Amino acid sequence: MKNKSIIIVPAALCLFLIIMLSGCEKENIQKLEQRNWELVWSDDFNGSAGILPDAAKWKFDIGVGPNNDGWGNAELEYYTNRPANVSLDGKGNLMITAKKEVYAGSAFTSARIKTDGLFQQAYGRIEAHIKTPWGPGIWPAFWMLGSDVNSAGWPQ
């Protein structure tokens, strides 16, 4: 009797897997169910070339981190709010530019922008269109963090 149950369990498991996997199809394009989403925040970065992003929507991290530790990542750049590092391009894009230049004791400059304290949303659809560079020494990032990140800590 023990031998029959050992044979039945693997056979049933194989049949289950075959049925489950045969129903799977790969979609070429992700399809989102149409809903009546309410737009609660947006920024299309419309504005003249060379200006800073909207101060009502964005603020800056300035410097090399609160503990002079490169924001905990040993980053080498000094973050600024200068148009040379962060500005609109006049075509609906935000440009964040890393530059090799000596500035405030750092060999590079760039920018960090955030909505912290300016916007928070518990539920809904979040969408971003981002083009990031790649290569050695570059770490572009787009983080969606809770409004309690300063008290709860970085997500694990």
Side-chain angles (χ1 to χ4, degrees), residues 41 43 45 52-54 57-62 79-81 85-88 94-96 110-116 118 141-143:
W41 188 94
D43 195 341
F45 300 112
L52 294 174
D54 185 348
K57 295 178 179 180
W58 301 101
K59 62 184 184 179
F60 302 91
D61 280 332
I62 305 291
Y79 291 110
T80 79
N81 61 351
N85 295 115
V86 58
S87 63
L88 305 184
L94 173 70
M95 304 298 289
I96 298 177
S110 189
R112 287 171 57 121
I113 64 170
K114 59 187 180 179
T115 60
D116 183 33
L118 301 174
F142 176 78
W143 292 306

Side-chain angles (χ1 to χ4, degrees), residues 99-125:
K99 299 180 73 122
K100 184 175 182 174
E101 63 178 331
V102 177
Y103 187 90
S106 295
F108 303 92
T109 60
S110 189
R112 287 171 57 121
I113 64 170
K114 59 187 180 179
T115 60
D116 183 33
L118 301 174
F119 172 76
Q120 66 182 21
Q121 181 70 27
Y123 302 100
R125 178 177 170 184

Side-chain angles (χ1 to χ4, degrees), residues 1-55:
M1 192 66 157
K2 287 184 182 178
N3 289 341
K4 286 184 179 177
S5 64
I6 291 173
I7 293 170
I8 292 172
V9 171
L13 181 60
C14 287
L15 181 61
F16 174 75
L17 288 173
I18 290 169
I19 291 170
M20 291 302 294
L21 294 175
S22 67
C24 297
E25 304 183 3
K26 183 178 176 182
E27 292 181 9
N28 291 330
I29 299 173
Q30 182 182 12
K31 297 174 187 169
L32 296 175
E33 181 180 324
Q34 289 295 334
R35 295 186 182 219
N36 294 325
W37 295 100
E38 178 186 347
L39 181 64
V40 295
W41 188 94
S42 70
D43 195 341
D44 292 322
F45 300 112
N46 293 323
S48 301
I51 66 170
L52 294 174
D54 185 348

Side-chain angles (χ1 to χ4, degrees), residues 135-156:
I138 299 175
W139 188 20
F142 176 78
W143 292 306
M144 296 177 61
L145 302 172
S147 59
D148 64 348
V149 68
N150 292 328
S151 61
W154 196 264
Q156 298 300 312

